[in-house]
Amino acid sequence: STSMAWEKEGLAKMATDLPRSDRTAMICYLIAVLSVFGSFAADAAVADLQALKSARRELTVRLDSLAPQRAAIEAELCTLSTVIDSLKRSAPESEQLNEVYLSLNAPMEKVSGIDSEMENISARRDSVTDALRAAYDWEISTLFKSLSEEPDEGLLQQLIIFQDERRALGEHIVAS
């Protein structure tokens, strides 16, 4: 009968207009829905932090893997430079000197390519780090709010962990 009134009027009645049993059922339903969505939101926030941390680690690994490649090519260039210096003194007009000069092009292009890739990865990592800082700042502010409303040892421990992890990212403040 109550649901017929809602359909008939085309408007939802105020919860206080419902009979007590319907009101109780609606409140239980809303609490269940909100608790499920609330846990999804908390899980999503933690998942976002984990995804950002993982992306940052991956970018750092990629960046770190390029450094030895670049160092090896720089060593090759240093060797070629030594050969060039030697040939300049002993045979300044030789064909061999010209060939060594030409052989510089490939390693120089490789170094340039690696430098460009390192700059791109570094820029992406900086962007992810800023997003991670913002996510930590949001999580920390949410935990502060929750703790101010109701003290909880578990939330306090999580706050300390998040603050330490945020601090490790540097004190740069992210505008949100």
Side-chain angles (χ1 to χ4, degrees):
S1 63
T2 305
S3 63
M4 289 179 63
W6 284 17
E7 291 174 13
K8 190 174 188 180
E9 293 176 18
L11 300 171
K13 286 188 167 191
M14 297 290 294
T16 55
D17 292 342
L18 293 173
R20 185 173 194 82
S21 62
D22 287 350
R23 211 178 16 221
T24 304
M26 179 179 280
I27 290 171
C28 288
Y29 173 76
L30 288 174
I31 289 171
V33 168
L34 291 174
S35 69
V36 168
F37 285 126
S39 74
F40 283 154
D43 291 345
V46 171
D48 287 346
L49 275 176
Q50 294 305 321
L52 289 168
K53 286 167 46 175
S54 176
R56 186 172 186 271
R57 269 191 307 273
E58 180 183 318
L59 290 168
T60 299
V61 166
R62 287 179 58 200
L63 196 59
D64 291 347
S65 74
L66 290 173
Q69 293 175 27
R70 189 178 194 292
I73 296 169
E74 282 181 344
E76 179 185 347
L77 286 170
C78 187
T79 301
L80 289 172
S81 178
T82 303
V83 170
I84 288 171
D85 289 342
S86 174
L87 287 172
K88 280 182 179 178
R89 283 186 294 253
S90 65
E93 301 295 324
S94 73
E95 184 63 32
Q96 188 180 10
L97 179 60
N98 289 334
E99 288 174 10
V100 174
Y101 272 130
L102 289 174
S103 70
L104 284 174
N105 287 336
M108 292 294 288
E109 286 177 13
K110 286 179 187 176
V111 166
S112 178
I114 289 173
D115 286 347
S116 177
E117 189 174 353
M118 289 175 84
E119 286 175 21
N120 288 335
I121 292 170
S122 183
R124 285 195 310 249
R125 186 180 64 175
D126 290 348
S127 177
V128 168
T129 301
D130 283 345
L132 190 54
R133 284 183 184 118
Y136 273 118
D137 290 347
W138 186 85
E139 286 294 329
I140 289 168
S141 69
T142 301
L143 286 170
F144 269 129
K145 184 176 185 263
S146 296
L147 285 168
S148 71
E149 293 169 357
E150 183 177 342
D152 179 274
E153 186 64 30
L155 291 179
L156 181 59
Q157 290 301 317
Q158 188 62 55
L159 174 66
I160 292 168
I161 291 168
F162 281 175
Q163 286 176 323
D164 290 344
E165 290 176 357
R166 170 58 172 90
R167 203 171 290 116
L169 295 172
E171 296 302 321
H172 178 76
I173 297 173
V174 180
S176 44

